[in-house]
Amino acid sequence: MPEENSSVPNRKRRYCLIIGGVVLLCLILFSVIVLILALTLFKVKEPRSQLLSTAVRGVAPSFYSRQLNITIDLKLRIENRNRASFRHGTGKTLLLYQGNQVGETDIYPGAIPAMGSANLSCLLTLQVDKIASNIEAMMQDVFDGEIEMETQARIPGRVTLWFIKKHIIAISDCKLTIAVPTFNVQKQTCKTTAKL
C-alpha cells in the first residue's frame, strides 16, 4: 500500500506540470501572435495628403485702406491607411509669395475613420499689403499675366492602436500659378509627406 500513496503525489505533480506547461505554451503563442499582428497588420502607417482643387474664390479691393485681398479656396484630402481612426488637431496652411508669408488660415480639428478619407476645405486670403516689400516683383508678375505662389499645409494628429499611440504630421507643399486677368489657377504641383 505505501507504493500506491507515493504514486498519487507523482501523478498530481505530473498533471500540474502538464497543465502549467500548456498554459505557458498558450501564453507564449498568444504573445507571438500579438507581436506579429502589431508589426504587420496593425503597424501605424502615415496618412497621405493630396490637394484636390484650388480655385480663386474672390477678389476684394478696399479703397479706404488701399489694399487688395484675394481669397483662394483649397480642398485637401487626407487618407487614413490605418486600422484605427486618425484624430487631427488644428492645422495651419500658409500662403507664400517669393518665400514671404502673405496669408494663413487654420484647418479645424476632426477625425478620419479607419481605412477612410476626409476632405478638408480651407480659405486662404492673400493680403496684398503684405507684399509691399516685393511690390516691384508683384507688378512684374501681373504684367507677365501670372502670379506664382506656394501653400504649405501642416496637419498634426494621432493614431491610437490599442496601447500604441503614434503622433503624425501630414504635410502638403504646393506651387500654384494664377492667371492674372481671370484669376484662375493655371497650374499646380504638390508634394506630400508625413512625419512620424
Side-chain angles (χ1 to χ4, degrees), residues 21-67:
V22 169
V23 168
L24 184 64
L25 183 65
C26 287
L27 284 174
I28 291 172
L29 186 63
F30 179 74
S31 298
V32 168
I33 290 172
V34 167
L35 182 65
I36 289 171
L37 287 176
L39 294 176
T40 58
L41 187 63
F42 295 116
K43 182 180 178 186
V44 177
K45 300 172 187 94
E46 60 189 33
R48 290 183 184 155
S49 58
Q50 173 186 9
L51 183 67
L52 292 177
S53 68
T54 307
V56 176
R57 184 177 262 193
V59 179
S62 175
F63 296 108
Y64 297 110
S65 61
R66 293 183 184 168
Q67 65 181 8

Side-chain angles (χ1 to χ4, degrees), residues 17 34 39 55 67 80 106 117 126 135 145-146 156 169 173 176 178 191:
L17 287 175
V34 167
L39 294 176
Q67 65 181 8
N80 182 12
D106 290 332
S117 63
L126 167 65
I135 196 68
E146 58 185 33
I169 300 174
D173 294 329
L176 313 169
I178 300 171
K191 177 184 167 189

